[in-house]
Amino acid sequence: MKTSGGSDAAKRRAGESAAEAVADGEVVGLGTGSTAAHAIRRLGDRVGSGLDIRGVATSFASRELAADRGIPLLDLDEAVGPDAPGIDVAIDGADQVAVGAAGSDKTASDEAAAGVGPLIKGGGAAHAREKLVDAAAGRFLVVADPSKEVPVLDRSVPVEVLPAGRSAVAEAVRAAGGEPTLRRAERKDGPVVTDNGNLVLDCAFGEIDDPGALATALSTTPGVVEHGLFVGLADEVHVGTETDVRVARR
Amino acid sequence: MKTSGGSDAAKRRAGESAAEAVADGEVVGLGTGSTAAHAIRRLGDRVGSGLDIRGVATSFASRELAADRGIPLLDLDEAVGPDAPGIDVAIDGADQVAVGAAGSDKTASDEAAAGVGPLIKGGGAAHAREKLVDAAAGRFLVVADPSKEVPVLDRSVPVEVLPAGRSAVAEAVRAAGGEPTLRRAERKDGPVVTDNGNLVLDCAFGEIDDPGALATALSTTPGVVEHGLFVGLADEVHVGTETDVRVARR
């Protein structure tokens, strides 16, 4: 699990703050990464004290941790649908959160002006399922530490692609001004393979002035399964610091 | 292979007409379905007579047929990229082609006005790889018979989804006014599984007045891998009849 940037104490404050915002009876999307893991651990403690919730995991890793901590789990297919309970709230981390003016996209700017900006996710290659769960949730709470906050998104956007579409998507990314790099695995030869059996291109675009436009361009590119730009999805951002937690709401 | 609608003679005329439009030295995308199969067979005959081409298959089925007919094959990753030859032309079928006014989408209307309309593909569940190849090609030739032509697209749109995203995508389709049905397999229990390991929701929207807008809405829905609306991609449509072939060019 990636733990780059930010102190563990700051991440723990953020994760625990969001976990405290979950109410009895809710169905909770359980995010992936070191900060979301703190939320899952706190939710597990609360379940041990009698909190009645059910979790929906965003990844193999979050499912494993939640099961270990005694959180009852639903499959996403059990949680969403005509006769299903729905997902009340999701808690998930981010690799980067925009907190400044974020360019010409209206949704993105409105978000950023409120300190609840568009995000980049996917450092853990779980962003396809994370976006499914986070987008389906009634409230999406982002947990982060100050090292993730930027005025304008500028880190590489992880793009999950069909294996056969790798070169065609890379060409489309270059045509859009980006520089794609196939993510290589550690502890296995060759590329990272996602939980869905696909590959990841980390696509550097420099400063992303219009996250909404780039998100649509990537989504409509043949071969793209999902990308790591989350625009217009976040409802709250909980940022832990060494001493405190800041919560921004849309 | 599906062979519903249209006579085999009409399909053969369409497929062979497109195969004759391929020039020596070209890299050719090889489509899926009964009409595209006629094009592959004719290309195989032409290779037997000395035509120098290389094929890029859009599916397991088209790869198998092309190999059987002696057409040298490239992987898509070998055909597309900075030092690759590129795909000169693709020939592929359609489940439905709009030839009338196709609503408010400008691209779609311009296409339809010229008789080169937006398409629906995916009856064979190969539309993700088909779109990769067809979109990468310099020229995309659609082959069809008159039973596929309609003034306004109205058949179900096949949507390939991540297995975990099945219910969430179905909810999004319902919210957009569509009626999703999970495609069930024959000759195996349970659902159809695509060549990419995913599922297919056949989504009925009634008459699709704005194919471009629906295409973008589907592409940006989390969990959607690819959908069967091909908007703004076709360059020529070859329609075979009992006696002749009509060719419309953009």
Side-chain angles (χ1 to χ4, degrees), chain A residues 4 22 43 61 65 92 122 137:
Chain A
S4 57
V22 172
L43 286 169
L65 178 61
D92 209 344

Side-chain angles (χ1 to χ4, degrees), chain B:
Chain B
M1 191 177 291
K2 286 186 61 158
T3 56
S4 58
S7 76
D8 192 62
K11 292 177 179 187
R12 194 176 64 245
R13 281 192 186 84
E16 294 183 352
S17 168
E20 292 300 332
V22 172
D24 201 61
E26 290 192 319
V27 175
V28 186
L30 302 172
T32 310
S34 54
T35 311
H38 283 297
I40 295 174
R41 287 188 203 98
R42 170 58 62 99
L43 285 170
D45 292 344
R46 293 188 64 198
V47 167
S49 303
L51 183 72
D52 173 29
I53 59 169
R54 288 168 293 173
V56 177
T58 58
S59 65
F60 185 93
S62 62
R63 165 174 287 272
E64 200 168 45
L65 178 60
D68 182 59
R69 295 293 167 141
I71 300 174
L73 288 165
L74 289 178
D75 280 345
L76 179 53
D77 276 336
E78 297 174 296
V80 176
D83 300 314
I87 300 173
D88 297 294
V89 56
I91 301 173
D92 209 343
D95 300 323
Q96 203 170 54
V97 187
V99 295
S104 61
D105 180 70
K106 187 162 186 312
T107 307
S109 295
D110 289 352
E111 285 183 312
V116 185
L119 323 170
I120 292 177
K121 292 175 60 56
H127 50 291
R129 196 177 156 94
E130 288 170 338
K131 195 180 284 188
L132 268 169
V133 172
D134 298 344
R139 299 159 8 240
F140 171 30
L141 317 186
V142 178
V143 291
D145 65 78
S147 74
K148 307 298 192 300
E149 295 181 301
V150 291
V152 180
L153 299 176
D154 65 358
R155 62 166 285 159
S156 292
V157 179
V159 179
E160 179 167 346
V161 300
L162 294 174
R166 170 166 75 90
S167 296
V169 174
E171 280 291 282
V173 166
R174 279 185 210 103
E179 184 51 44
T181 305
L182 182 68
R183 192 181 297 178
R184 299 280 169 185
E186 295 178 10
R187 307 191 67 178
K188 97 175 240 308
D189 287 338
V192 163
V193 176
T194 71
D195 292 355
N196 307 311
N198 299 311
L199 306 180
V200 176
L201 293 173
D202 289 305
C203 300
F205 291 95
E207 292 201 346
I208 299 171
D209 294 324
D210 191 341
L214 181 58
T216 300
L218 289 171
S219 289
T220 55
T221 298
V224 170
V225 174
E226 193 51 87
H227 58 80
L229 279 167
F230 285 46
V231 182
L233 293 181
D235 294 294
E236 297 180 10
V237 180
H238 295 238
V239 179
T241 68
E242 292 306 309
T243 56
D244 208 349
V245 183
R246 284 182 276 117
V247 180
R249 292 189 178 80
R250 174 134 70 149

Side-chain angles (χ1 to χ4, degrees), chain A residues 3 37 45 54 106 118 147 171 174 242:
Chain A
T3 55
D45 293 344
R54 287 168 295 173
K106 185 163 187 316
S147 74
E171 279 291 282
R174 279 185 210 103
E242 291 306 307

Side-chain angles (χ1 to χ4, degrees), chain A residues 1 38 48 108 116 149 155 226 242:
Chain A
M1 189 178 292
H38 284 296
V116 184
E149 295 182 300
R155 64 166 282 159
E226 193 53 86
E242 291 306 307

Side-chain angles (χ1 to χ4, degrees), chain A residues 3-87:
Chain A
T3 55
S4 57
S7 76
D8 192 62
K11 292 176 179 187
R12 194 176 64 245
R13 281 192 186 84
E16 293 184 351
S17 168
E20 292 300 332
V22 172
D24 202 60
E26 290 192 318
V27 175
V28 186
L30 303 173
T32 310
S34 54
T35 312
H38 284 296
I40 295 174
R41 288 189 202 99
R42 171 58 63 98
L43 286 169
D45 293 344
R46 293 188 64 197
V47 166
S49 304
L51 182 73
D52 173 29
I53 60 170
R54 287 168 295 173
V56 177
T58 57
S59 65
F60 184 94
S62 62
R63 165 175 288 274
E64 201 169 44
L65 178 61
D68 182 61
R69 296 292 166 139
I71 301 175
L73 289 165
L74 289 178
D75 279 344
L76 178 54
D77 277 337
E78 296 174 297
V80 176
D83 300 315
I87 300 173

